[in-house]
Amino acid sequence: MAQPQETTQTPALAVSVSANQRLVAATELRPWGSFTVLEEGRGYKIKRIEVKPGHRLSLQMHHHRSEHWIVVSGTAKVTCGSDERILTSNQSTYVPQCTTHRLENPGVIPLVLIEVQNGEYLGEDDIVRYQDDYARAQ
């Protein structure tokens, strides 16, 4: 007589997404590394940013958003206005709207951080570049 087979079912993970919230997992490659939009909604966007060792983003400013950066791993050299500092794992900083800023990886391992953007407009075209190592047009 055949024994009944035991089946195990894993319950599905229910994710509630409101009308003004969008879950995203699209990675975009850049010369300095990459970023992945993890989630965005009205007035905010959350990204995972990875910067290759020895690389840096452009010296830039945003008219319509501020940013919070939290270092997950690696070392970040942060320029914010006239202030320059080094951040390591579990440290964070705030970049106010309309403030020149730059993110660099002076280390030998990839820099991984979480960026939380806040503002009324969060498009990638809200970047004013003052200096760029990769000769990208303004």
Side-chain angles (χ1 to χ4, degrees):
M1 184 140 136
Q3 292 286 326
Q5 295 265 329
E6 190 173 318
T7 58
T8 306
Q9 288 187 338
T10 305
L13 178 63
V15 178
S16 174
V17 178
S18 67
N20 67 349
Q21 179 184 26
R22 188 166 58 120
L23 296 177
V24 185
T27 298
E28 293 196 27
L29 301 178
R30 294 292 187 261
W32 44 261
S34 65
F35 70 85
T36 304
V37 176
L38 302 175
E39 183 179 318
E40 64 181 293
R42 182 178 218 146
Y44 77 97
K45 184 185 290 186
I46 303 169
K47 290 182 176 178
R48 179 191 184 274
I49 297 176
E50 187 167 324
V51 183
K52 298 174 193 174
H55 287 259
R56 63 186 184 174
L57 285 68
S58 57
L59 180 63
Q60 59 187 256
M61 185 268 295
H62 309 289
H63 287 288
H64 303 285
R65 71 176 184 238
S66 62
E67 298 174 341
H68 293 263
W69 294 340
I70 303 112
V71 177
V72 175
S73 60
T75 302
K77 181 178 176 184
V78 174
T79 302
C80 186
S82 60
D83 185 39
E84 192 174 280
R85 45 194 278 205
I86 298 292
L87 299 177
T88 57
S89 181
N90 203 33
Q91 294 182 315
S92 63
T93 193
Y94 172 70
V95 179
Q97 183 176 322
C98 296
T99 303
T100 57
H101 60 281
R102 171 176 265 163
L103 178 64
E104 303 181 42
N105 180 354
V108 296
I109 64 168
L111 164 63
V112 177
L113 63 87
I114 299 299
E115 174 182 88
V116 179
Q117 301 175 359
N118 290 101
E120 289 304 309
Y121 179 72
L122 303 172
E124 289 302 310
D125 58 347
D126 180 31
I127 298 176
V128 177
R129 286 192 175 90
Y130 297 103
Q131 188 180 61
D132 186 63
D133 294 349
Y134 310 102
R136 291 176 287 182
Q138 172 48 44

